[in-house]
Amino acid sequence: MKLQQLRYIVEVVNHNLNVSATAESLYTSQPGISKQVRMLEDELGIQIFGRSGKHLTHVTPAGQEVINIATSILSKVESIKAVAQEHTQPDQGVLNIATTHTQARYALPKVIKGFMDRYPKVSLHMHQGTPSQISEAAAKGEADFAIATEALHLYHDLVMLPCYHWTRSLVVRADHPLAQCDNLTIEELAKYPLVTYVFGFTGRSELDTAFNQAGISPRIVFTATDADVIKTYVRLGLGVGVIATMAVDENDDKDLVALDASHLFERSTTMIGFRKGTFLRTYMYDFIERFAPHLTRDAVEHAMLMRSAEEVEKLFADADLPVL
């Protein structure tokens, strides 16, 4: 059994059983991967993958157990490399962050600027996607950190830490009736078409919950994945924008009227997640603390010892998180 074989079977799964795509991503040949997978199966005496002709169709139950262990082994191998680099090149390395547009555009710039000034030899890569894509990237080891509001709870193999709470605001054109509204309610808001985030994005679930509790169906006419696009269509008169308050820019949005909606919708919490068992470099701890000052190295290491997400949640239940 070779590490290369374990890496092949894990990557085949990560590429949805597409051996050609796996070979391309690993800069090797498709026949080479197929041969090594067969050799591993012969050695173990089980089928890891089900087949139809030359095509892989599914992961067998035994194969899934093998892949789970292989994933853990490969993660430990990466941790060994990280330990060595921590001692030989403490200020050098790579940091991959997967996050949403809202976090990348409004919450992270100052943090990343300060981080890069402190660690100029660390190569930082930001990957934007949906919350599910972000969480999956962290779970697969493609990203060191996942930063999002939604979907992180779907991945039980991630350590999830609360960073900050955030509220929502409505944005309307100056000539919109709500621009002069002093007593904003869900019922009043329901009279107008809404422009907001795609379902499953940036705390959208709290909007849906508020309307459901009021027994009202919101009239959502346009959705997008980032606040800048939403504001563009508010300017075109499509409707009332519902966005994260942090996305309201005093300079760029002078032509819009922003209304506090924190009393209409429950606040959301942005989390940072990483794989359990990951060896965090010193600069990684530093990044976390820059993004969420209450998440000191001691606090993060304490959370990593917790056995469940519920225990981590209790650990930070009394934390005084900032509200954006």
Side-chain angles (χ1 to χ4, degrees):
M1 186 185 306
K2 303 175 183 177
L3 281 176
Q4 182 190 55
Q5 293 172 330
L6 300 183
R7 182 168 289 106
Y8 283 172
I9 63 173
V10 169
E11 286 303 312
V12 165
V13 173
N14 288 343
H15 287 83
N16 299 314
L17 308 188
N18 187 322
V19 180
S20 296
T22 303
E24 185 176 348
S25 71
L26 295 176
Y27 302 102
T28 188
S29 68
Q30 179 179 342
I33 290 180
S34 298
K35 178 181 178 181
Q36 290 299 323
V37 171
R38 283 289 194 186
M39 289 175 63
L40 179 60
E41 289 179 322
D42 290 343
E43 179 181 349
L44 296 177
I46 61 170
Q47 270 198 317
I48 296 174
F49 301 106
R51 294 170 174 80
S52 176
K54 294 183 178 180
H55 299 287
L56 304 183
T57 57
H58 64 280
V59 180
T60 67
Q64 187 59 61
E65 293 186 37
V66 170
I67 288 166
N68 290 343
I69 297 172
T71 300
S72 178
I73 291 172
L74 294 173
S75 177
K76 295 298 184 184
V77 170
E78 291 304 312
S79 291
I80 291 172
K81 294 178 181 178
V83 170
Q85 291 170 346
E86 180 72 4
H87 289 277
T88 59
Q89 300 173 317
D91 294 331
Q92 299 181 40
V94 178
L95 182 60
N96 287 285
I97 299 170
T99 190
T100 62
H101 172 272
T102 298
Q103 303 296 330
R105 170 70 173 81
Y106 297 102
L108 284 167
K110 289 184 180 179
V111 174
I112 289 177
K113 176 64 167 61
F115 178 84
M116 296 306 296
D117 287 344
R118 170 64 182 84
Y119 298 99
K121 294 182 179 180
V122 172
S123 178
L124 193 151
H125 306 279
M126 185 180 293
H127 312 274
Q128 293 184 46
T130 67
S132 294
Q133 289 170 336
I134 291 163
S135 301
E136 185 177 3
K140 290 181 177 179
E142 297 169 357
D144 299 299
F145 296 137
I147 300 175
T149 299
E150 307 275 8
L152 293 184
H153 67 283
L154 299 176
Y155 294 83
H156 302 295
D157 50 352
L158 297 183
V159 177
M160 299 175 295
L161 307 176
C163 299
Y164 62 85
H165 301 305
W166 56 269
T167 61
R168 291 159 186 75
S169 289
L170 308 181
V171 286
V172 296
R173 300 200 317 188
D175 59 354
H176 193 280
L178 287 185
Q180 308 301 324
C181 182
D182 295 324
N183 184 28
L184 188 61
T185 64
I186 285 289
E187 290 74 18
E188 185 67 21
L189 180 59
K191 296 177 182 178
Y192 304 97
L194 302 182
V195 182
T196 190
Y197 299 109
V198 173
F199 184 78
F201 239 88
T202 317
R204 164 68 188 277
S205 58
E206 301 300 340
L207 181 149
D208 295 316
T209 297
F211 276 98
N212 289 338
Q213 289 176 345
I216 301 172
S217 296
R219 186 154 55 101
I220 298 175
V221 297
F222 181 87
T223 61
T225 58
D226 71 70
D228 294 334
V229 172
I230 291 170
K231 288 184 284 187
T232 294
Y233 285 89
V234 169
R235 290 183 172 97
L236 293 176
L238 262 67
V240 178
V242 185
I243 62 175
T245 298
M246 73 179 93
V248 178
D249 191 303
E250 293 182 358
N251 295 319
D252 295 341
D253 301 329
K254 291 180 180 179
D255 58 326
L256 297 176
V257 176
L259 306 169
D260 178 29
S262 59
H263 62 294
L264 299 181
F265 309 110
E266 289 289 332
R267 65 188 184 183
S268 294
T269 303
T270 288
M271 313 283 286
I272 186 167
F274 54 88
R275 284 188 301 171
K276 294 178 180 178
T278 298
F279 177 81
L280 297 181
R281 302 281 301 275
T282 296
Y283 64 75
M284 294 178 176
Y285 283 109
D286 190 16
F287 178 88
I288 294 174
E289 189 169 354
R290 286 172 183 271
F291 186 58
H294 63 283
L295 296 178
T296 62
R297 181 166 185 155
D298 287 344
V300 174
E301 289 179 342
H302 191 181
M304 292 168 72
L305 296 175
M306 301 292 98
R307 291 174 295 179
S308 67
E310 290 73 21
E311 289 182 335
V312 175
E313 187 175 346
K314 290 180 181 178
L315 180 64
F316 294 101
D318 297 326
D320 187 19
L321 303 185
V323 180
L324 302 186

